[in-house]
Amino acid sequence: SLVVGMHPDQATESIVDMALRDNKPFAVVPCCVFASMRPDRLHPATDEPVRLLGQFLDYLQAKAPHVRRHVLRALKGPTNVVIYAH
């Protein structure tokens, strides 16, 4: 099985966490950070609050060493990055 989230809003981090916990492959295309709902998220390199999409991508990718990131060039716009692990 594979866990997929396409612009899953507030469920993005839960999808990643569940997949990592259950050792399932996953792919998510985050769109929103929801920084005010999760002020506890800190950027892995700077310890600053995660407020921007790029920071959120870094945060998600830092959850495990095998998590990767890829730009989906076929999708236009700022939310065209997939975070995945297999």
Side-chain angles (χ1 to χ4, degrees):
S1 62
L2 168 71
V3 183
V4 176
M6 292 295 295
H7 296 234
D9 293 332
Q10 293 99 322
T12 301
E13 187 172 3
S14 296
I15 290 169
V16 173
D17 290 343
M18 184 274 308
L20 290 172
R21 182 194 69 221
D22 294 347
N23 199 29
K24 299 274 186 195
F26 71 89
V28 293
V29 178
C31 61
C32 302
V33 179
F34 295 98
S36 63
M37 295 178 69
R38 291 296 310 272
D40 57 311
R41 289 182 183 142
L42 300 177
H43 190 275
T46 66
D47 275 343
E48 294 177 7
V50 172
R51 299 185 191 282
L52 305 173
L53 182 59
Q55 294 171 323
F56 190 36
L57 296 171
D58 293 342
Y59 172 83
L60 293 172
Q61 190 172 0
K63 286 184 169 281
H66 65 288
V67 176
R68 300 287 181 252
R69 171 190 322 205
H70 180 75
V71 175
L72 301 168
R73 300 203 189 282
L75 296 179
K76 304 297 181 207
T79 56
N80 65 345
V81 178
V82 61
I83 299 291
Y84 68 95
H86 52 80

Coordinates of all heavy atoms in Angstrom, one line a residue:
S1 N 0.8 -1.2 0.0 CA 0.0 0.0 0.0 C 0.9 1.2 0.0 O 2.0 1.2 0.4 CB -0.9 0.0 1.2 OG -0.2 0.0 2.4
L2 N 0.3 2.3 -0.4 CA 1.0 3.6 -0.5 C 0.0 4.7 0.1 O -1.2 4.7 -0.2 CB 1.3 3.9 -2.0 CG 1.7 5.3 -2.3 CD1 3.1 5.6 -1.8 CD2 1.7 5.5 -3.8
V3 N 0.5 5.6 0.9 CA -0.3 6.7 1.4 C 0.0 8.0 0.6 O 1.2 8.3 0.4 CB 0.1 7.0 2.9 CG1 -0.8 8.1 3.4 CG2 0.0 5.7 3.7
V4 N -1.0 8.6 0.0 CA -0.9 9.8 -0.8 C -1.7 10.9 -0.3 O -2.9 10.7 0.1 CB -1.3 9.4 -2.3 CG1 -1.2 10.7 -3.2 CG2 -0.5 8.3 -2.8
G5 N -1.2 12.1 -0.3 CA -1.9 13.3 0.0 C -1.6 14.4 -1.0 O -0.4 14.9 -1.1
M6 N -2.6 14.8 -1.7 CA -2.4 15.9 -2.7 C -3.1 17.2 -2.1 O -4.3 17.2 -2.0 CB -3.1 15.6 -4.0 CG -2.4 14.4 -4.8 SD -0.8 14.8 -5.3 CE -1.1 16.1 -6.5
H7 N -2.2 18.1 -1.7 CA -2.7 19.3 -1.0 C -3.6 19.0 0.1 O -4.8 19.4 0.2 CB -3.4 20.2 -2.0 CG -2.5 20.7 -3.1 ND1 -2.3 22.1 -3.4 CD2 -1.7 20.1 -4.0 CE1 -1.5 22.2 -4.4 NE2 -1.1 21.0 -4.7
P8 N -3.1 18.2 1.1 CA -4.0 17.7 2.2 C -4.2 18.6 3.4 O -4.7 18.2 4.4 CB -3.2 16.4 2.6 CG -1.8 16.7 2.3 CD -1.8 17.5 1.1
D9 N -3.8 19.9 3.2 CA -4.0 20.9 4.2 C -3.5 20.5 5.6 O -2.4 20.0 5.7 CB -5.5 21.3 4.3 CG -6.0 22.0 3.0 OD1 -5.1 22.7 2.4 OD2 -7.2 21.9 2.7
Q10 N -4.3 20.5 6.6 CA -3.9 20.2 8.0 C -3.5 18.8 8.2 O -2.8 18.4 9.1 CB -5.0 20.5 9.0 CG -5.2 22.0 9.2 CD -6.5 22.4 8.4 OE1 -6.8 21.9 7.3 NE2 -7.3 23.4 8.9
A11 N -3.8 17.9 7.3 CA -3.5 16.4 7.4 C -2.1 16.1 6.9 O -1.6 15.0 7.1 CB -4.5 15.6 6.6
T12 N -1.4 17.1 6.3 CA -0.1 16.8 5.7 C 0.9 16.1 6.7 O 1.4 15.0 6.4 CB 0.6 18.1 5.1 OG1 -0.3 18.6 4.2 CG2 1.9 17.8 4.5
E13 N 1.1 16.7 7.8 CA 2.1 16.2 8.8 C 1.6 14.9 9.3 O 2.4 13.9 9.5 CB 2.4 17.2 9.9 CG 3.5 16.7 10.8 CD 4.0 17.7 11.8 OE1 3.4 18.8 11.8 OE2 4.9 17.5 12.5
S14 N 0.3 14.7 9.6 CA -0.2 13.4 10.1 C 0.0 12.3 9.1 O 0.3 11.2 9.5 CB -1.7 13.6 10.4 OG -1.9 14.5 11.4
I15 N -0.1 12.6 7.8 CA 0.1 11.6 6.8 C 1.6 11.1 6.8 O 1.9 9.9 6.8 CB -0.2 12.1 5.4 CG1 -1.7 12.3 5.2 CG2 0.3 11.2 4.3 CD1 -2.2 13.1 4.0
V16 N 2.5 12.1 6.9 CA 3.9 11.7 6.9 C 4.2 10.9 8.2 O 4.9 9.9 8.1 CB 4.8 13.0 6.8 CG1 6.2 12.7 7.1 CG2 4.6 13.7 5.5
D17 N 3.7 11.4 9.3 CA 4.0 10.7 10.6 C 3.5 9.3 10.6 O 4.1 8.4 11.1 CB 3.4 11.5 11.8 CG 4.2 12.8 12.0 OD1 5.3 13.0 11.5 OD2 3.6 13.7 12.7
M18 N 2.2 9.2 10.2 CA 1.6 7.8 10.1 C 2.4 6.9 9.2 O 2.7 5.7 9.6 CB 0.2 7.9 9.7 CG -0.6 6.6 9.8 SD -0.5 5.5 8.3 CE -0.9 6.6 7.0
A19 N 2.7 7.4 8.0 CA 3.5 6.5 7.1 C 4.8 6.1 7.7 O 5.2 5.0 7.5 CB 3.6 7.2 5.8
L20 N 5.5 7.1 8.3 CA 6.8 6.7 8.9 C 6.7 5.8 10.0 O 7.4 4.8 10.1 CB 7.5 8.0 9.3 CG 8.0 8.9 8.2 CD1 8.5 10.3 8.8 CD2 9.1 8.3 7.4
R21 N 5.7 6.0 10.8 CA 5.4 5.1 12.0 C 5.1 3.7 11.5 O 5.6 2.7 12.1 CB 4.3 5.7 12.8 CG 4.0 4.8 14.1 CD 2.6 5.2 14.7 NE 1.6 4.7 13.8 CZ 0.5 5.4 13.5 NH1 0.3 6.6 14.1 NH2 -0.5 5.0 12.7
D22 N 4.3 3.6 10.5 CA 3.9 2.2 10.0 C 4.8 1.7 8.9 O 4.4 0.6 8.3 CB 2.4 2.3 9.5 CG 1.5 2.6 10.7 OD1 1.9 2.5 11.9 OD2 0.3 3.0 10.4
N23 N 5.9 2.4 8.6 CA 6.8 1.9 7.6 C 6.1 1.7 6.3 O 6.4 0.7 5.6 CB 7.6 0.7 8.1 CG 8.8 0.5 7.3 OD1 9.5 1.4 6.8 ND2 9.2 -0.8 7.1
K24 N 5.3 2.7 5.9 CA 4.6 2.7 4.6 C 5.2 3.7 3.7 O 5.6 4.8 4.1 CB 3.1 3.0 4.8 CG 2.4 2.1 5.7 CD 1.9 1.0 4.9 CE 0.9 0.1 5.8 NZ 0.7 -1.2 5.2
P25 N 5.3 3.4 2.4 CA 5.7 4.4 1.4 C 4.6 5.5 1.4 O 3.5 5.3 1.6 CB 5.9 3.7 0.1 CG 5.1 2.4 0.3 CD 5.0 2.1 1.7
F26 N 5.1 6.8 1.1 CA 4.1 7.9 1.1 C 4.6 8.9 0.1 O 5.8 9.0 -0.3 CB 3.9 8.5 2.4 CG 5.1 9.3 2.9 CD1 5.2 10.6 2.6 CD2 6.1 8.7 3.7 CE1 6.3 11.4 3.0 CE2 7.2 9.4 4.1 CZ 7.3 10.8 3.8
A27 N 3.7 9.7 -0.3 CA 3.9 10.9 -1.2 C 2.9 12.0 -0.8 O 1.7 11.7 -0.8 CB 3.9 10.6 -2.6
V28 N 3.4 13.2 -0.5 CA 2.5 14.3 -0.2 C 2.9 15.5 -1.0 O 4.1 15.7 -1.1 CB 2.4 14.6 1.3 CG1 1.8 13.5 2.1 CG2 3.8 15.0 1.9
V29 N 2.0 16.3 -1.4 CA 2.3 17.5 -2.1 C 1.6 18.6 -1.2 O 0.4 18.9 -1.3 CB 1.7 17.6 -3.5 CG1 2.0 19.0 -4.1 CG2 2.3 16.5 -4.4
P30 N 2.4 19.2 -0.2 CA 1.9 20.2 0.7 C 1.5 21.4 0.0 O 2.2 21.8 -1.0 CB 3.0 20.4 1.7 CG 4.0 19.3 1.4 CD 3.8 18.9 0.0
C31 N 0.5 22.1 0.5 CA 0.1 23.4 -0.1 C 0.1 24.5 1.0 O 0.4 25.7 0.6 CB -1.2 23.3 -0.8 SG -2.6 22.9 0.4
C32 N -0.3 24.2 2.2 CA -0.4 25.2 3.2 C 0.3 24.8 4.5 O 0.5 23.6 4.8 CB -1.9 25.4 3.6 SG -2.9 25.9 2.1
V33 N 0.8 25.8 5.2 CA 1.6 25.6 6.4 C 0.8 25.5 7.6 O 1.1 24.8 8.6 CB 2.8 26.6 6.5 CG1 3.6 26.4 7.7 CG2 3.6 26.6 5.2
F34 N -0.2 26.4 7.7 CA -1.0 26.5 8.9 C -0.2 26.8 10.2 O -0.3 26.1 11.2 CB -1.9 25.2 9.2 CG -2.9 25.0 8.1 CD1 -2.7 24.2 7.0 CD2 -4.1 25.7 8.1 CE1 -3.6 24.0 6.0 CE2 -5.1 25.6 7.1 CZ -4.8 24.7 6.1
A35 N 0.7 27.8 10.0 CA 1.7 28.1 11.1 C 1.0 28.5 12.4 O 1.5 28.1 13.5 CB 2.6 29.2 10.6
S36 N -0.1 29.2 12.3 CA -0.7 29.6 13.6 C -1.3 28.5 14.4 O -1.5 28.5 15.6 CB -1.8 30.7 13.3 OG -2.8 30.1 12.5
M37 N -1.7 27.4 13.7 CA -2.2 26.2 14.3 C -1.1 25.3 14.9 O -1.4 24.5 15.8 CB -3.0 25.4 13.3 CG -4.3 26.1 12.9 SD -5.2 25.1 11.6 CE -5.8 23.8 12.7
R38 N 0.1 25.5 14.4 CA 1.2 24.6 14.9 C 2.5 25.5 15.2 O 3.5 25.3 14.5 CB 1.6 23.6 13.8 CG 0.5 22.5 13.6 CD 0.3 21.6 14.9 NE 1.5 21.1 15.4 CZ 2.1 19.9 15.0 NH1 1.5 19.2 14.1 NH2 3.2 19.6 15.5
P39 N 2.4 26.3 16.2 CA 3.6 27.2 16.5 C 4.8 26.4 17.0 O 5.9 26.9 17.1 CB 3.0 28.2 17.5 CG 1.9 27.5 18.1 CD 1.3 26.6 17.0
D40 N 4.5 25.1 17.4 CA 5.6 24.3 17.9 C 6.6 23.8 16.9 O 7.6 23.2 17.2 CB 5.0 23.1 18.7 CG 4.1 22.3 17.8 OD1 3.2 22.9 17.1 OD2 4.2 21.0 17.7
R41 N 6.2 23.9 15.6 CA 7.1 23.4 14.5 C 8.3 24.4 14.4 O 8.1 25.5 14.2 CB 6.4 23.4 13.2 CG 5.3 22.4 13.0 CD 4.8 22.5 11.6 NE 3.7 21.5 11.4 CZ 2.6 21.8 10.7 NH1 2.4 23.0 10.1 NH2 1.7 20.9 10.5
L42 N 9.5 23.8 14.5 CA 10.7 24.6 14.4 C 11.5 24.0 13.2 O 11.6 22.8 13.0 CB 11.5 24.5 15.6 CG 10.8 25.0 16.9 CD1 11.7 24.9 18.1 CD2 10.5 26.5 16.7
H43 N 12.1 25.0 12.4 CA 12.9 24.6 11.3 C 14.1 23.8 11.8 O 14.8 24.2 12.8 CB 13.4 25.8 10.5 CG 14.0 25.5 9.2 ND1 15.3 25.2 9.1 CD2 13.5 25.5 8.0 CE1 15.6 25.0 7.9 NE2 14.5 25.1 7.1
P44 N 14.4 22.7 11.1 CA 15.5 21.8 11.6 C 16.9 22.5 11.6 O 17.8 22.1 12.4 CB 15.5 20.6 10.7 CG 14.7 21.1 9.5 CD 13.8 22.2 9.9
A45 N 17.1 23.4 10.7 CA 18.5 24.0 10.7 C 18.6 25.3 11.5 O 19.7 25.7 11.9 CB 18.8 24.3 9.2
T46 N 17.5 26.0 11.6 CA 17.6 27.4 12.2 C 16.8 27.5 13.6 O 17.0 28.5 14.3 CB 16.9 28.4 11.3 OG1 15.5 28.2 11.2 CG2 17.6 28.4 9.9
D47 N 16.0 26.5 13.9 CA 15.2 26.5 15.1 C 14.2 27.7 15.1 O 13.6 28.1 16.2 CB 16.0 26.6 16.4 CG 16.4 25.2 16.9 OD1 15.8 24.2 16.4 OD2 17.3 25.1 17.7
E48 N 13.9 28.3 14.0 CA 12.9 29.3 13.8 C 11.6 28.7 13.6 O 11.5 27.6 13.1 CB 13.3 30.3 12.7 CG 14.5 31.1 12.8 CD 14.9 31.9 11.6 OE1 14.0 32.0 10.7 OE2 15.9 32.5 11.6
P49 N 10.5 29.4 14.0 CA 9.2 28.8 13.7 C 9.0 28.6 12.2 O 9.4 29.4 11.4 CB 8.2 29.9 14.2 CG 9.0 30.6 15.2 CD 10.4 30.6 14.7
V50 N 8.3 27.5 11.9 CA 8.0 27.2 10.5 C 6.8 28.0 10.1 O 5.7 27.8 10.6 CB 7.8 25.7 10.3 CG1 7.3 25.3 8.9 CG2 9.0 24.9 10.6
R51 N 7.0 28.9 9.2 CA 5.9 29.8 8.7 C 5.7 29.8 7.2 O 4.6 30.1 6.7 CB 6.2 31.2 9.1 CG 6.3 31.4 10.6 CD 6.4 32.9 11.0 NE 6.8 33.1 12.4 CZ 6.0 33.0 13.4 NH1 4.7 32.7 13.2 NH2 6.4 33.2 14.6
L52 N 6.7 29.4 6.5 CA 6.7 29.5 5.0 C 6.7 28.1 4.4 O 7.2 27.1 5.1 CB 7.9 30.3 4.4 CG 8.0 31.7 5.0 CD1 9.3 32.3 4.5 CD2 6.9 32.5 4.6
L53 N 6.2 27.9 3.2 CA 6.1 26.6 2.6 C 7.5 25.9 2.5 O 7.7 24.8 2.8 CB 5.4 26.7 1.2 CG 5.3 25.3 0.5 CD1 4.4 24.4 1.3 CD2 4.6 25.6 -0.9
G54 N 8.5 26.7 2.1 CA 9.8 26.1 1.9 C 10.4 25.6 3.3 O 11.0 24.5 3.3
Q55 N 10.1 26.3 4.4 CA 10.5 25.9 5.7 C 9.7 24.6 6.1 O 10.3 23.7 6.7 CB 10.2 26.9 6.7 CG 11.0 28.2 6.6 CD 10.5 29.3 7.5 OE1 9.3 29.5 7.7 NE2 11.4 30.1 8.0
F56 N 8.4 24.5 5.7 CA 7.6 23.3 6.0 C 8.2 22.1 5.2 O 8.2 21.0 5.8 CB 6.2 23.6 5.6 CG 5.2 22.6 6.1 CD1 5.3 21.9 7.3 CD2 4.1 22.3 5.3 CE1 4.4 21.0 7.7 CE2 3.2 21.3 5.7 CZ 3.3 20.7 6.9
L57 N 8.6 22.3 4.0 CA 9.2 21.2 3.2 C 10.4 20.7 3.9 O 10.6 19.5 4.0 CB 9.5 21.7 1.8 CG 8.3 22.1 0.9 CD1 8.7 22.7 -0.4 CD2 7.3 20.9 0.7
D58 N 11.3 21.6 4.4 CA 12.5 21.2 5.1 C 12.1 20.5 6.3 O 12.8 19.4 6.7 CB 13.3 22.5 5.5 CG 13.9 23.2 4.3 OD1 14.0 22.7 3.2 OD2 14.3 24.4 4.5
Y59 N 11.1 20.9 7.1 CA 10.7 20.3 8.3 C 10.2 18.9 8.1 O 10.6 18.0 8.8 CB 9.6 21.2 8.9 CG 8.9 20.6 10.1 CD1 9.4 20.7 11.4 CD2 7.7 20.0 10.0 CE1 8.8 20.2 12.5 CE2 7.0 19.4 11.1 CZ 7.6 19.5 12.3 OH 6.9 19.0 13.4
L60 N 9.4 18.7 7.0 CA 8.9 17.4 6.7 C 10.0 16.5 6.3 O 10.1 15.3 6.7 CB 7.8 17.5 5.7 CG 6.5 18.2 6.1 CD1 5.6 18.3 4.8 CD2 5.8 17.4 7.1
Q61 N 10.9 17.0 5.5 CA 12.0 16.1 5.0 C 12.9 15.7 6.1 O 13.5 14.6 6.0 CB 12.8 16.9 3.9 CG 13.7 16.0 3.1 CD 14.4 16.6 1.9 OE1 14.1 17.8 1.6 NE2 15.2 15.9 1.2
A62 N 13.1 16.5 7.1 CA 14.0 16.2 8.2 C 13.4 15.2 9.2 O 14.1 14.7 10.1 CB 14.3 17.5 9.0
K63 N 12.2 14.7 9.0 CA 11.6 13.7 9.9 C 12.3 12.4 9.8 O 12.2 11.6 10.8 CB 10.1 13.6 9.6 CG 9.3 14.8 10.1 CD 7.8 14.5 9.9 CE 7.0 15.6 10.6 NZ 6.9 15.3 12.1
A64 N 12.9 12.1 8.7 CA 13.6 10.8 8.6 C 14.7 10.9 7.5 O 14.5 11.6 6.5 CB 12.7 9.6 8.3
P65 N 15.8 10.2 7.6 CA 16.9 10.4 6.7 C 16.5 9.9 5.3 O 17.1 10.4 4.3 CB 18.0 9.6 7.2 CG 17.5 8.8 8.3 CD 16.2 9.4 8.7
H66 N 15.5 9.0 5.1 CA 15.2 8.5 3.8 C 14.1 9.3 3.1 O 13.7 8.9 2.0 CB 14.8 7.0 3.9 CG 13.6 6.7 4.7 ND1 13.5 6.9 6.1 CD2 12.4 6.4 4.3 CE1 12.3 6.6 6.5 NE2 11.6 6.3 5.4
V67 N 13.6 10.4 3.7 CA 12.5 11.2 3.1 C 13.2 12.1 2.1 O 14.2 12.7 2.3 CB 11.8 12.0 4.2 CG1 10.8 13.0 3.6 CG2 11.1 11.1 5.2
R68 N 12.6 12.1 0.9 CA 13.1 12.9 -0.2 C 12.1 14.0 -0.7 O 11.0 14.0 -0.3 CB 13.4 11.9 -1.4 CG 14.5 10.9 -1.1 CD 15.8 11.5 -0.9 NE 16.8 10.5 -0.7 CZ 17.4 10.3 0.5 NH1 17.1 11.1 1.5 NH2 18.3 9.4 0.7
R69 N 12.6 14.8 -1.6 CA 11.9 15.9 -2.1 C 12.1 15.9 -3.6 O 13.2 15.7 -4.1 CB 12.3 17.2 -1.5 CG 11.8 18.4 -2.1 CD 12.4 19.7 -1.5 NE 12.7 19.7 -0.1 CZ 12.9 20.8 0.6 NH1 12.6 22.0 0.1 NH2 13.2 20.7 1.9
H70 N 11.1 16.2 -4.4 CA 11.2 16.3 -5.8 C 10.2 17.4 -6.4 O 9.1 17.4 -5.9 CB 10.9 15.0 -6.5 CG 11.0 15.0 -8.0 ND1 12.2 15.0 -8.6 CD2 10.0 15.0 -8.9 CE1 12.0 15.0 -9.9 NE2 10.7 15.0 -10.2
V71 N 10.7 18.2 -7.3 CA 9.9 19.2 -7.9 C 9.1 18.6 -9.1 O 9.7 17.9 -10.0 CB 10.7 20.4 -8.4 CG1 9.8 21.4 -9.2 CG2 11.4 21.1 -7.3
L72 N 7.8 18.7 -9.1 CA 6.9 18.2 -10.1 C 6.8 19.2 -11.2 O 5.9 20.1 -11.1 CB 5.6 17.7 -9.6 CG 5.6 16.7 -8.5 CD1 4.3 16.6 -7.8 CD2 6.1 15.4 -9.0
R73 N 7.6 19.2 -12.2 CA 7.7 20.3 -13.2 C 6.4 20.4 -14.0 O 6.1 21.5 -14.5 CB 8.9 20.1 -14.1 CG 10.2 20.2 -13.3 CD 11.4 20.5 -14.1 NE 12.6 20.3 -13.3 CZ 13.0 21.2 -12.4 NH1 12.3 22.2 -12.0 NH2 14.2 20.9 -11.7
A74 N 5.6 19.3 -14.1 CA 4.4 19.4 -14.8 C 3.3 20.2 -14.1 O 2.3 20.7 -14.7 CB 3.8 18.0 -15.1
L75 N 3.5 20.4 -12.8 CA 2.5 21.2 -12.1 C 3.1 22.6 -12.0 O 4.2 22.9 -11.6 CB 2.3 20.7 -10.6 CG 1.7 19.3 -10.5 CD1 1.7 18.9 -9.0 CD2 0.3 19.3 -11.1
K76 N 2.3 23.6 -12.3 CA 2.7 25.0 -12.3 C 2.3 25.6 -11.0 O 1.3 25.2 -10.4 CB 2.0 25.8 -13.4 CG 2.3 25.2 -14.8 CD 3.7 25.3 -15.1 CE 4.0 24.7 -16.5 NZ 5.3 24.1 -16.7
G77 N 3.1 26.5 -10.5 CA 2.8 27.2 -9.3 C 3.7 26.8 -8.1 O 4.6 26.0 -8.3
P78 N 3.6 27.5 -7.0 CA 4.5 27.3 -5.9 C 4.3 25.9 -5.1 O 5.2 25.5 -4.4 CB 4.2 28.4 -5.0 CG 2.8 28.8 -5.2 CD 2.6 28.5 -6.7
T79 N 3.2 25.3 -5.3 CA 2.9 24.1 -4.6 C 3.1 22.9 -5.5 O 2.2 22.1 -5.7 CB 1.5 24.1 -4.0 OG1 0.6 24.3 -5.0 CG2 1.4 25.2 -2.9
N80 N 4.3 22.7 -6.0 CA 4.6 21.6 -7.0 C 5.7 20.7 -6.5 O 6.4 20.1 -7.3 CB 4.9 22.2 -8.4 CG 6.2 23.0 -8.4 OD1 6.7 23.4 -7.3 ND2 6.7 23.3 -9.6
V81 N 5.9 20.6 -5.2 CA 6.9 19.8 -4.6 C 6.3 18.6 -3.9 O 5.4 18.8 -3.1 CB 7.8 20.6 -3.6 CG1 8.9 19.8 -3.0 CG2 8.4 21.8 -4.4
V82 N 6.8 17.4 -4.2 CA 6.4 16.2 -3.5 C 7.4 15.8 -2.5 O 8.6 15.9 -2.8 CB 6.1 15.1 -4.5 CG1 7.3 14.7 -5.3 CG2 5.5 13.9 -3.8
I83 N 7.0 15.5 -1.3 CA 7.8 14.9 -0.2 C 7.4 13.4 -0.2 O 6.2 13.1 -0.1 CB 7.5 15.6 1.1 CG1 7.8 17.1 1.1 CG2 8.3 14.9 2.3 CD1 9.3 17.4 1.0
Y84 N 8.4 12.6 -0.2 CA 8.1 11.1 -0.4 C 9.1 10.3 0.3 O 10.3 10.7 0.6 CB 8.0 10.8 -1.8 CG 9.3 10.8 -2.6 CD1 10.0 9.7 -2.8 CD2 9.7 12.0 -3.1 CE1 11.2 9.7 -3.5 CE2 10.9 12.0 -3.8 CZ 11.7 10.9 -4.0 OH 12.9 11.0 -4.7
A85 N 8.8 9.0 0.5 CA 9.7 8.0 1.0 C 9.1 6.7 0.5 O 7.9 6.5 0.4 CB 9.8 8.0 2.5
H86 N 10.0 5.7 0.2 CA 9.6 4.4 -0.2 C 10.5 3.3 0.4 O 11.3 3.6 1.1 CB 9.6 4.3 -1.8 CG 10.9 4.6 -2.4 ND1 12.0 3.8 -2.5 CD2 11.3 5.8 -3.0 CE1 13.0 4.4 -3.1 NE2 12.6 5.6 -3.4

